[in-house]
Amino acid sequence: MIKETLNNAINKQINEELYSAYLYLSMSAYFEEISLKGFANWMKIQVQEEIAHATGLYDYLHARDGKVVLDAIQKPNCEWNSPIEVFEATLKHEQFITSKISELMDVAEEAKDRAALSFLQWYIKEQVEEESTAKDILAKLNFAGADTNALLLIDNELGARTFNPPVIG
Ligand code: OFO
C-alpha cells in the first residue's frame, strides 16, 4: 500500500493537472473570442491531455490501494492581451508543473517507493515534451510578430491538432 505522504502528494498533483485543464480551457475561450479557431482547437486538445494526466494519477492511486481526495480547483486567469502573452503564460505554467513533478519524485524517493518512481518517469518525460512544444509555438509567434498572414498560418497549423489519448506509465 502506498505511503500517506506520497498519497497526499499525488492528490495535490491531480489538482494541479485539473487546474492545468481549466487554465487551458480558459485560454481556448480567449482564442475563440478573437476568432483564432486553430489556437482554440490546440488549447482544447491540451485540456484533454491534462485531464488524461490527472486521471492517470487517479487510476494509479486506486491501483496502489490509495485514496483519491479531490480538492477545489483554483480560478484561472481569463484576460490576455495577445497570443504571445498566452503562450508565455503556457510555457511558464508548464515549467511550474515540471517543478511540481520533480517535487513529487522527491516524495516518492523519500518514501523509497520504487514502483511510484518508475510510474512517475512517464510524467518527467512528458514535461520535456510539454515545455518544448510551448517553446516552439512561442518562437513561431515571435517570428510572426505583427504579420497577420503568418499568424493565420500558425492558426491553420494548430487547427490540425487531434487528440491521441496518451498511454501513461
Ligand atoms: Fe501540461 O502537463 Fe500536465 O499539467
Side-chain angles (χ1 to χ4, degrees), residues 117-162:
L117 283 166
S118 161
F119 171 73
L120 291 171
Q121 279 300 333
W122 184 89
Y123 285 83
I124 292 280
K125 279 192 237 149
E126 175 70 4
Q127 279 315 114
V128 173
E129 203 182 309
E130 292 277 76
E131 284 191 32
S132 163
T133 308
K135 252 183 241 165
D136 285 351
I137 298 172
L138 184 56
K140 283 183 189 167
L141 284 169
N142 279 314
F143 284 136
D147 182 342
T148 315
N149 283 336
L151 181 66
L152 291 177
L153 276 178
I154 302 170
D155 189 59
N156 206 34
E157 186 190 325
L158 299 189
R161 185 183 189 192
T162 54

Coordinates of all heavy atoms in Angstrom, one line a residue, residues 117-162:
L117 N 8.3 5.6 -8.4 CA 9.3 6.3 -9.1 C 9.3 5.9 -10.5 O 9.5 6.8 -11.4 CB 10.7 6.0 -8.4 CG 11.0 6.7 -7.1 CD1 12.2 6.1 -6.4 CD2 11.3 8.2 -7.4
S118 N 9.1 4.6 -10.8 CA 9.1 4.1 -12.1 C 7.9 4.7 -12.9 O 8.0 5.2 -14.0 CB 9.1 2.6 -12.1 OG 8.6 2.1 -13.3
F119 N 6.7 4.7 -12.2 CA 5.5 5.2 -12.8 C 5.7 6.7 -13.2 O 5.3 7.2 -14.3 CB 4.3 5.1 -11.9 CG 3.1 5.7 -12.3 CD1 2.3 5.3 -13.4 CD2 2.6 6.9 -11.7 CE1 1.1 5.9 -13.8 CE2 1.5 7.5 -12.0 CZ 0.7 7.0 -13.1
L120 N 6.3 7.5 -12.3 CA 6.3 9.0 -12.4 C 7.3 9.4 -13.5 O 7.3 10.5 -14.0 CB 6.7 9.6 -11.1 CG 5.6 9.6 -10.1 CD1 6.1 10.0 -8.7 CD2 4.4 10.4 -10.5
Q121 N 8.2 8.4 -13.9 CA 9.1 8.7 -15.0 C 8.4 9.2 -16.3 O 8.9 10.0 -17.0 CB 10.0 7.5 -15.4 CG 11.2 7.2 -14.5 CD 12.2 8.4 -14.5 OE1 12.3 9.1 -15.4 NE2 12.9 8.6 -13.4
W122 N 7.2 8.6 -16.5 CA 6.4 9.0 -17.7 C 6.1 10.5 -17.6 O 6.2 11.2 -18.6 CB 5.1 8.2 -17.7 CG 4.3 8.5 -18.9 CD1 4.4 7.8 -20.2 CD2 3.4 9.5 -19.1 NE1 3.6 8.4 -21.1 CE2 3.0 9.5 -20.5 CE3 2.8 10.5 -18.3 CZ2 2.0 10.4 -21.0 CZ3 1.9 11.4 -18.9 CH2 1.5 11.3 -20.2
Y123 N 5.8 11.0 -16.4 CA 5.4 12.4 -16.3 C 6.6 13.3 -16.5 O 6.5 14.4 -17.0 CB 4.8 12.6 -14.9 CG 3.3 12.1 -14.9 CD1 3.1 10.8 -14.6 CD2 2.2 13.0 -15.1 CE1 1.7 10.3 -14.6 CE2 0.9 12.5 -15.1 CZ 0.7 11.2 -14.8 OH -0.6 10.7 -14.8
I124 N 7.8 12.8 -16.0 CA 9.0 13.6 -16.2 C 9.3 13.8 -17.7 O 9.6 14.9 -18.2 CB 10.2 12.8 -15.6 CG1 10.1 12.8 -14.0 CG2 11.6 13.4 -16.0 CD1 10.5 14.1 -13.3
K125 N 9.2 12.7 -18.5 CA 9.4 12.7 -19.9 C 8.4 13.6 -20.6 O 8.7 14.4 -21.5 CB 9.4 11.3 -20.5 CG 10.7 10.6 -20.3 CD 10.7 9.3 -21.2 CE 10.9 8.1 -20.3 NZ 10.3 6.9 -20.7
E126 N 7.1 13.5 -20.2 CA 6.0 14.2 -20.7 C 6.3 15.7 -20.6 O 6.0 16.5 -21.5 CB 4.7 13.8 -20.1 CG 3.5 14.6 -20.5 CD 3.0 14.3 -21.9 OE1 3.6 13.5 -22.6 OE2 2.1 15.0 -22.4
Q127 N 6.9 16.1 -19.4 CA 7.1 17.5 -19.2 C 8.2 18.1 -20.2 O 8.1 19.3 -20.5 CB 7.5 17.8 -17.7 CG 6.3 17.8 -16.8 CD 5.1 18.7 -17.3 OE1 4.1 18.1 -17.6 NE2 5.3 20.0 -17.5
V128 N 9.1 17.3 -20.6 CA 10.1 17.7 -21.5 C 9.4 18.1 -22.8 O 9.6 19.2 -23.4 CB 11.2 16.6 -21.8 CG1 12.1 17.1 -22.9 CG2 12.0 16.3 -20.5
E129 N 8.5 17.2 -23.2 CA 7.7 17.5 -24.4 C 6.8 18.7 -24.3 O 6.7 19.5 -25.2 CB 6.9 16.2 -24.7 CG 6.5 16.1 -26.2 CD 5.6 14.9 -26.4 OE1 6.1 13.8 -26.0 OE2 4.6 15.0 -27.0
E130 N 6.1 18.8 -23.2 CA 5.2 19.9 -22.9 C 5.9 21.3 -23.0 O 5.4 22.2 -23.6 CB 4.5 19.8 -21.6 CG 3.6 18.6 -21.4 CD 2.2 18.9 -22.0 OE1 2.0 18.9 -23.2 OE2 1.2 19.1 -21.2
E131 N 7.1 21.3 -22.4 CA 7.8 22.6 -22.4 C 8.3 22.9 -23.8 O 8.3 24.0 -24.3 CB 9.0 22.5 -21.4 CG 8.6 22.7 -20.0 CD 9.8 22.9 -19.0 OE1 10.8 23.5 -19.5 OE2 9.7 22.4 -17.9
S132 N 8.8 21.9 -24.4 CA 9.4 22.1 -25.8 C 8.3 22.5 -26.8 O 8.5 23.4 -27.6 CB 10.0 20.7 -26.2 OG 10.2 20.7 -27.6
T133 N 7.1 21.9 -26.7 CA 6.0 22.3 -27.6 C 5.6 23.8 -27.4 O 5.4 24.5 -28.3 CB 4.8 21.4 -27.4 OG1 5.2 20.1 -27.5 CG2 3.7 21.7 -28.4
A134 N 5.5 24.2 -26.1 CA 5.1 25.5 -25.8 C 6.2 26.5 -26.3 O 5.8 27.6 -26.8 CB 4.9 25.7 -24.3
K135 N 7.4 26.1 -26.1 CA 8.6 27.0 -26.6 C 8.5 27.2 -28.1 O 8.7 28.3 -28.6 CB 9.9 26.3 -26.2 CG 10.6 27.0 -25.0 CD 11.9 26.4 -24.8 CE 11.9 25.9 -23.3 NZ 13.0 24.9 -23.0
D136 N 8.3 26.1 -28.8 CA 8.2 26.1 -30.3 C 7.1 27.1 -30.8 O 7.3 27.9 -31.7 CB 7.9 24.7 -30.9 CG 9.2 23.8 -30.8 OD1 10.2 24.3 -30.4 OD2 9.0 22.6 -31.1
I137 N 5.9 26.9 -30.2 CA 4.8 27.8 -30.6 C 5.1 29.2 -30.3 O 4.9 30.1 -31.1 CB 3.5 27.3 -30.0 CG1 3.2 25.9 -30.5 CG2 2.3 28.3 -30.4 CD1 2.0 25.2 -29.8
L138 N 5.7 29.5 -29.1 CA 6.0 30.8 -28.7 C 7.1 31.4 -29.7 O 7.0 32.6 -30.1 CB 6.6 30.8 -27.3 CG 6.9 32.2 -26.7 CD1 5.7 33.1 -26.7 CD2 7.4 32.0 -25.2
A139 N 8.0 30.6 -30.1 CA 9.1 31.1 -31.0 C 8.4 31.5 -32.4 O 8.7 32.5 -32.9 CB 10.1 30.0 -31.2
K140 N 7.5 30.6 -32.8 CA 6.8 31.0 -34.1 C 6.0 32.3 -34.0 O 6.0 33.1 -34.9 CB 5.8 29.8 -34.5 CG 6.6 28.6 -35.0 CD 5.6 27.6 -35.5 CE 6.3 26.3 -35.8 NZ 5.5 25.1 -36.0
L141 N 5.4 32.4 -32.9 CA 4.6 33.7 -32.6 C 5.5 34.9 -32.6 O 5.2 35.9 -33.2 CB 3.8 33.6 -31.3 CG 2.6 32.7 -31.4 CD1 2.0 32.5 -30.0 CD2 1.5 33.4 -32.3
N142 N 6.7 34.7 -32.0 CA 7.7 35.8 -32.0 C 8.2 36.1 -33.4 O 8.3 37.3 -33.8 CB 8.8 35.6 -31.0 CG 8.4 35.9 -29.6 OD1 7.8 36.9 -29.3 ND2 8.6 35.0 -28.7
F143 N 8.4 35.1 -34.2 CA 8.9 35.3 -35.6 C 7.8 36.1 -36.4 O 8.0 36.9 -37.1 CB 9.1 34.0 -36.3 CG 10.4 33.3 -35.9 CD1 10.5 32.0 -35.7 CD2 11.6 34.1 -35.8 CE1 11.7 31.3 -35.3 CE2 12.8 33.5 -35.5 CZ 12.9 32.1 -35.2
A144 N 6.5 35.6 -36.1 CA 5.4 36.2 -36.9 C 5.2 37.7 -36.5 O 4.9 38.5 -37.4 CB 4.1 35.4 -36.6
G145 N 5.5 38.0 -35.3 CA 5.4 39.4 -34.9 C 4.0 40.0 -35.2 O 3.0 39.4 -34.9
A146 N 4.0 41.1 -36.0 CA 2.7 41.8 -36.3 C 2.2 41.3 -37.7 O 1.2 41.9 -38.2 CB 2.9 43.3 -36.3
D147 N 2.8 40.3 -38.3 CA 2.4 39.8 -39.6 C 1.1 38.9 -39.4 O 1.2 37.8 -39.0 CB 3.6 39.0 -40.2 CG 3.3 38.5 -41.6 OD1 2.1 38.4 -41.9 OD2 4.2 38.1 -42.3
T148 N 0.0 39.4 -39.8 CA -1.3 38.7 -39.7 C -1.3 37.4 -40.5 O -1.9 36.4 -40.0 CB -2.5 39.6 -40.1 OG1 -2.2 40.9 -39.5 CG2 -3.8 39.1 -39.7
N149 N -0.7 37.5 -41.7 CA -0.8 36.3 -42.5 C 0.0 35.1 -41.9 O -0.4 34.0 -41.9 CB -0.1 36.6 -43.9 CG -1.1 37.3 -44.8 OD1 -2.3 37.2 -44.6 ND2 -0.6 38.0 -45.8
A150 N 1.1 35.5 -41.3 CA 1.9 34.5 -40.6 C 1.2 33.9 -39.4 O 1.2 32.7 -39.1 CB 3.3 35.1 -40.1
L151 N 0.4 34.8 -38.7 CA -0.4 34.4 -37.5 C -1.5 33.4 -38.0 O -1.7 32.4 -37.3 CB -1.0 35.6 -36.9 CG -1.8 35.3 -35.6 CD1 -1.0 34.8 -34.5 CD2 -2.6 36.6 -35.2
L152 N -2.1 33.7 -39.1 CA -3.1 32.8 -39.6 C -2.6 31.5 -40.1 O -3.2 30.4 -40.0 CB -3.9 33.5 -40.8 CG -4.8 34.7 -40.3 CD1 -5.5 35.4 -41.5 CD2 -5.8 34.2 -39.3
L153 N -1.3 31.5 -40.6 CA -0.7 30.2 -41.0 C -0.5 29.3 -39.7 O -0.7 28.1 -39.7 CB 0.7 30.5 -41.6 CG 0.7 30.8 -43.1 CD1 2.1 31.1 -43.6 CD2 0.1 29.6 -43.9
I154 N 0.0 30.0 -38.6 CA 0.2 29.2 -37.4 C -1.2 28.7 -36.9 O -1.4 27.6 -36.5 CB 0.8 30.1 -36.3 CG1 2.2 30.6 -36.7 CG2 1.0 29.3 -35.0 CD1 2.8 31.7 -35.8
D155 N -2.2 29.6 -37.0 CA -3.6 29.2 -36.6 C -4.0 27.9 -37.4 O -4.6 27.0 -36.8 CB -4.5 30.3 -36.8 CG -5.9 30.1 -36.2 OD1 -6.0 29.8 -35.0 OD2 -6.9 30.0 -37.0
N156 N -3.7 27.9 -38.6 CA -4.1 26.8 -39.5 C -3.4 25.5 -39.0 O -4.0 24.5 -38.9 CB -3.7 27.2 -40.9 CG -4.5 26.4 -41.9 OD1 -5.7 26.2 -41.7 ND2 -3.9 26.0 -43.0
E157 N -2.1 25.7 -38.7 CA -1.3 24.5 -38.3 C -1.8 24.0 -37.0 O -2.0 22.8 -36.8 CB 0.2 25.0 -38.1 CG 1.1 23.9 -37.8 CD 2.5 24.5 -37.4 OE1 2.9 25.5 -37.9 OE2 3.1 23.9 -36.5
L158 N -2.2 24.9 -36.0 CA -2.6 24.4 -34.7 C -4.0 23.8 -34.8 O -4.4 23.0 -34.0 CB -2.6 25.5 -33.7 CG -1.2 26.1 -33.4 CD1 -1.2 27.1 -32.2 CD2 -0.1 25.1 -33.2
G159 N -4.8 24.2 -35.8 CA -6.1 23.7 -36.0 C -6.1 22.2 -36.4 O -7.1 21.5 -36.3
A160 N -5.0 21.7 -36.9 CA -4.9 20.3 -37.3 C -4.6 19.4 -36.2 O -4.6 18.2 -36.4 CB -3.8 20.2 -38.4
R161 N -4.4 19.9 -35.0 CA -4.0 19.0 -33.9 C -5.2 18.2 -33.5 O -6.3 18.7 -33.4 CB -3.6 19.9 -32.7 CG -3.1 19.0 -31.5 CD -2.8 19.8 -30.3 NE -2.1 19.0 -29.3 CZ -1.9 19.4 -28.0 NH1 -2.3 20.6 -27.6 NH2 -1.3 18.6 -27.2
T162 N -5.0 16.9 -33.3 CA -6.0 16.0 -32.8 C -5.6 15.3 -31.5 O -4.4 15.3 -31.2 CB -6.3 14.9 -33.9 OG1 -5.1 14.2 -34.1 CG2 -6.9 15.4 -35.2

